[in-house]
Amino acid sequence: MADTVIANEEELYRSIRGRKEDGEYHYNDDGMLVINPDAFRDRNKEPSVDRAALRDHNPVLSRKPPTDGIEQGVVTLLTLNVRDIGDVVTPVDGGKNVTHSVDVIYDPLPDNIAHAKVTVEPEFFGAENKKKKAFKLLRISLAYLATDAGWTLEPR
Amino acid sequence: MILPLFDSSEDNSSWKSFPKEYAKTLLEERLPEYQRSITSRFFEIRQRQANWDSRDSKKPNPTSVARAEGVVQDILYSATNEGYKWLTPFISSDEDGHITMQWRKGKHELHIEVAEDEVEYIKVWGANISNEMHVDSLTPHDYKTLWRWLLHG
């Protein structure tokens, strides 16, 4: 049975849409791969990842279905680096701030035993635009980490 | 008068000086090309309809689009007029129909988000939100400073 606590040294896979029009990555003028924040969009503001160890360290198993015949790419994040993103701050009424710490928690699904999600504690709350702004910073951070890591599997 | 032309090297001391006439020629030749590239990209953005990405994103807000195009053209002019190299932005729209623009040079990222009533920038030089990011409203006063910072990535 898989350990329910994700260790800092565990690798995490994230599937990235391969079709360029989807805007999840691009190459800059220096030819450098840049993963865009849109690669970490999630309706619940909890981007999904797979625990690499529970995919036998085979990123192909984490690749989501192709779009228009273009295979998705896969990037790898280190759990420690995700937790080191630090705190996301949300301003609340009265001029105060709420601090959310970033974590990765195991969340197995019936069709994906490797599933985990990047979360914040406490959860984002308040006006939707404030939640979105806070989540945008988290997505920028995750994208920054993914850019530094580069492709584990390139789209094709 | 010598007009300095900053190249894209990370080494601060490696900027070159060109005669003013050459720099001006370079600017005159390249600026229209950069402007056309931006105009072309915004034309593509304007064609997007609701759910353009199959993720329920809204159609780009026309006011935001027009505003964003003005901002990036101003940044382009501001940067190149100082002799700085231009970097191609990645321009898109988000789930709310706002316009997003981003640049990455080395370790530095610059994100600009344009809504109907707000223009914001985010400087990023690492993944830690508290220590390696800065968020603020964008004004024309900021363009040159931000561009210099970006090029030093």
Side-chain angles (χ1 to χ4, degrees):
Chain A
M1 190 168 162
D3 197 341
T4 55
V5 175
I6 303 178
N8 281 339
E9 55 271 17
E10 277 198 48
E11 290 182 330
L12 308 165
Y13 293 145
R14 171 79 177 179
S15 193
I16 307 286
R17 287 185 175 197
R19 200 176 56 173
K20 285 195 176 168
E21 306 93 284
D22 289 328
E24 295 201 355
Y25 70 97
H26 72 279
Y27 290 90
N28 73 1
D29 290 346
D30 296 329
M32 175 186 176
L33 168 68
V34 182
I35 303 294
N36 300 331
D38 264 4
F40 291 91
R41 276 175 64 171
D42 185 86
R43 275 180 209 278
N44 300 318
K45 300 182 178 59
E46 295 179 323
S48 293
V49 290
D50 278 355
R51 296 172 72 177
L54 299 183
R55 289 292 202 191
D56 292 327
H57 292 280
N58 182 356
V60 172
L61 299 178
S62 288
R63 193 178 233 168
K64 291 204 172 131
T67 310
D68 289 348
I70 301 173
E71 292 274 19
Q72 297 212 3
V74 175
V75 293
T76 303
L77 304 177
L78 189 62
T79 300
L80 175 63
N81 291 345
V82 175
R83 289 176 174 149
D84 275 354
I85 283 173
D87 298 327
V88 186
V89 175
T90 306
V92 292
D93 293 337
K96 295 186 178 174
N97 292 327
V98 172
T99 301
H100 311 263
S101 54
V102 179
D103 200 358
V104 188
I105 63 170
Y106 186 39
D107 180 44
L109 302 173
D111 59 346
N112 183 4
I113 199 166
H115 183 256
K117 52 188 185 180
V118 180
T119 64
V120 294
E121 178 62 38
E123 285 182 10
F124 293 127
F125 60 89
E128 190 59 28
N129 66 329
K130 285 186 179 165
K131 287 196 284 187
K132 282 183 178 178
K133 283 194 174 192
F135 183 49
K136 174 80 185 265
L137 295 184
L138 176 59
R139 289 193 286 123
I140 288 175
S141 285
L142 292 169
Y144 194 94
L145 290 175
T147 295
D148 277 358
W151 291 122
T152 300
L153 275 184
E154 281 195 54
R156 58 187 173 92
Chain B
M1 175 185 162
I2 303 291
L3 195 70
L5 193 69
F6 211 121
D7 77 3
S8 60
S9 168
E10 295 176 4
D11 178 1
N12 285 349
S13 64
S14 66
W15 61 267
K16 301 170 188 173
S17 293
F18 289 90
K20 182 181 177 182
E21 302 75 37
Y22 177 70
K24 192 165 181 286
T25 302
L26 211 59
L27 181 66
E28 284 170 357
E29 282 176 9
R30 292 188 184 172
L31 185 57
E33 170 197 327
Y34 299 147
Q35 288 169 327
R36 275 193 299 271
S37 171
I38 290 169
T39 302
S40 171
R41 180 55 179 161
F42 275 97
F43 177 79
E44 290 173 355
I45 301 278
R46 285 186 172 92
Q47 308 313 305
R48 289 181 175 175
Q49 300 301 314
N51 195 33
W52 59 272
D53 55 355
S54 307
R55 288 185 292 190
D56 292 327
S57 287
K58 291 181 181 171
K59 177 181 165 60
N61 178 287
T63 305
S64 304
V65 174
R67 194 167 184 188
E69 187 167 7
V71 167
V72 72
Q73 294 283 12
D74 284 350
I75 293 173
L76 165 63
Y77 187 79
S78 178
T80 51
N81 199 39
E82 290 291 310
Y84 291 123
K85 180 175 176 153
W86 178 243
L87 303 175
T88 308
F90 179 78
I91 302 171
S92 189
S93 59
D94 69 12
E95 63 265 38
D96 295 318
H98 302 159
I99 303 305
T100 59
M101 301 182 281
Q102 82 183 75
W103 293 263
R104 171 106 179 202
K105 177 69 178 169
K107 289 297 192 183
H108 286 185
E109 280 186 4
L110 176 62
H111 296 254
I112 295 177
E113 186 168 313
V114 182
E116 276 185 283
D117 55 355
E118 188 180 39
V119 184
E120 203 169 66
Y121 74 85
I122 306 168
K123 281 166 66 175
V124 184
W125 58 98
N128 186 287
I129 292 175
S130 303
N131 304 327
E132 295 173 317
M133 289 190 193
H134 176 76
V135 184
D136 211 338
S137 297
L138 180 69
T139 70
H141 230 45
D142 301 312
Y143 295 166
K144 285 179 203 164
T145 313
L146 286 174
W147 199 255
R148 265 198 303 271
W149 174 86
L150 177 65
L151 288 182
H152 280 83

